Amino acid sequence: MINLLKSLAPKSLKKFIKREILKTSQVNKPRYNTSLVKDEFTLDCTIAYNKYGGYCTPFAAQQESVVQEILKGNVYEPETIQYIIDHCGNGDVVQAGAYFGDFLPGIAKNISTKANVWTFEPSAEYFRCAEITIRINNLKNVHLFQVGLGEKKSEVQLQIETEDGRLLGGASRIIDSENGKFVPIMIEMLDSMIPEDRNISILQFDLEGFEIPALKGAINTIKRCKPILILEILSHNDILENEWFKNNILSLGYKISGKVHNNTIVTIQHNN
């Protein structure tokens, strides 16, 4: 054997050794081959990257536009993220709902070193994905809470699947219905979650029609900090015609000042 090894060229020697090892070594093969069995404990996800960092994207929402963009290496709502970066100054940012953290790397890596991001996601699946997104990017300035935002502390039902079995993904919503699949979630007031010594410069809500209740629970923070409000409401009239919004937000001097992506921007108008 030794003489044989000496006679082999280096490349041939490597091949010979590999072949002999495979002959004598025990190779453990999987006993079973199977696809992932879905259950409530197993997180099914895909890790993807864009210029801001890495993301844990939920398999349940793989067909949604936000996930598709990130899987392609793109940024979803780049104009909204850039607007927040450009206008947050030295203050903190409130971003809800977190979903799987699609906004978090872009915001958290580009705000003041003294600023924090406060973000909220009631869905257990998406909360877990957002946690992983935070870990992938080592975001030390992000505070993530597994709650929804509303006007009072309560427990409600979140619809995650329609009656015909269609997964709602990022469109999961709080509605009064008996049809479909629901999971219990906790609701908290933003005012009870943000320390009073923190200055909030931007408050961004993407809450699937639950923006007004969330604003009600944030009214003390809004009065104290006068943050820019970025609300995913498709029509300006949705909020302009709301009596509570007129009496409690517009009365503070807020005006609708523009739109970015599908978000309405509401800012304090200072008199010159």
Side-chain angles (χ1 to χ4, degrees):
M1 175 66 74
I2 294 175
N3 291 332
L4 175 62
L5 292 177
K6 287 181 178 178
S7 66
L8 292 172
K11 287 185 179 180
S12 300
L13 178 61
K14 288 181 181 179
K15 290 180 181 180
F16 176 80
I17 292 173
K18 183 178 180 181
R19 187 168 58 250
E20 291 302 309
I21 289 174
L22 289 174
K23 282 182 183 179
T24 57
S25 299
Q26 182 179 354
V27 178
N28 294 320
K29 295 183 178 180
R31 182 171 295 179
Y32 303 106
N33 288 318
T34 182
S35 59
L36 175 65
V37 177
K38 291 288 290 180
D39 61 60
E40 61 180 310
F41 304 106
T42 303
L43 180 63
D44 195 358
C45 61
T46 301
I47 306 300
Y49 298 84
N50 64 20
K51 69 175 185 178
Y52 287 128
Y55 304 82
C56 177
T57 66
F59 185 78
Q62 293 285 291
Q63 300 306 312
E64 294 186 12
S65 57
V66 53
V67 176
Q68 284 293 308
E69 284 300 305
I70 288 178
L71 289 176
K72 295 173 185 175
N74 300 326
V75 178
Y76 187 73
E77 287 198 39
E79 299 88 355
T80 306
I81 293 173
Q82 192 61 51
Y83 182 93
I84 293 172
I85 294 169
D86 292 342
H87 293 83
C88 63
N90 294 319
D92 291 358
V93 175
V94 170
Q95 194 274 319
Y99 200 11
F100 59 88
D102 53 305
F103 272 31
L104 298 181
I107 296 172
K109 293 179 180 181
N110 292 285
I111 58 177
S112 167
T113 55
K114 296 181 179 180
N116 291 324
V117 179
W118 306 83
T119 188
F120 306 85
E121 178 50 58
S123 164
E125 179 179 10
Y126 303 139
F127 174 82
R128 292 171 69 191
C129 287
E131 273 190 316
I132 295 170
T133 295
I134 291 169
R135 289 178 178 272
I136 289 172
N137 296 280
N138 196 31
L139 303 178
K140 302 295 188 182
N141 59 344
V142 175
H143 305 274
L144 171 67
F145 301 90
Q146 191 180 349
V147 298
L149 296 180
E151 58 185 304
K152 62 181 179 181
K153 183 181 179 69
S154 60
E155 182 177 308
V156 299
Q157 296 293 314
L158 180 73
Q159 186 185 35
I160 61 172
E161 191 174 310
T162 60
E163 186 178 10
D164 59 3
R166 180 173 58 86
L167 295 173
L168 290 172
S172 298
R173 57 193 186 272
I174 299 167
I175 62 171
D176 185 15
S177 173
E178 297 180 356
N179 300 319
K181 183 178 179 180
F182 292 79
V183 293
I185 61 169
M186 292 303 302
I187 297 294
E188 293 280 357
M189 299 168 60
L190 181 68
D191 286 338
S192 69
M193 305 296 290
I194 303 294
E196 292 190 359
D197 63 344
R198 302 302 304 183
N199 177 48
I200 306 300
S201 62
I202 290 183
L203 192 159
Q204 188 260 333
F205 283 166
D206 180 1
L207 301 175
E208 299 300 324
F210 215 64
E211 285 81 6
I212 293 298
L215 288 171
K216 290 180 179 179
I219 191 61
N220 292 333
T221 301
I222 293 171
K223 289 179 177 178
R224 177 172 63 85
C225 301
K226 303 296 193 301
I228 296 172
L229 308 179
I230 304 176
L231 309 174
E232 191 180 67
I233 299 175
L234 297 181
S235 171
H236 291 340
N237 293 331
D238 290 345
I239 50 176
L240 286 178
E241 295 176 0
N242 184 280
E243 287 299 318
W244 182 90
F245 191 84
K246 287 191 289 186
N247 295 334
N248 293 275
I249 301 297
L250 299 183
S251 65
L252 297 175
Y254 277 96
K255 302 287 184 184
I256 292 178
S257 58
K259 195 160 185 150
V260 57
H261 198 71
N262 286 327
N263 304 285
T264 296
I265 300 172
V266 190
T267 57
I268 287 285
Q269 301 297 303
H270 298 285
N271 295 324
N272 295 327

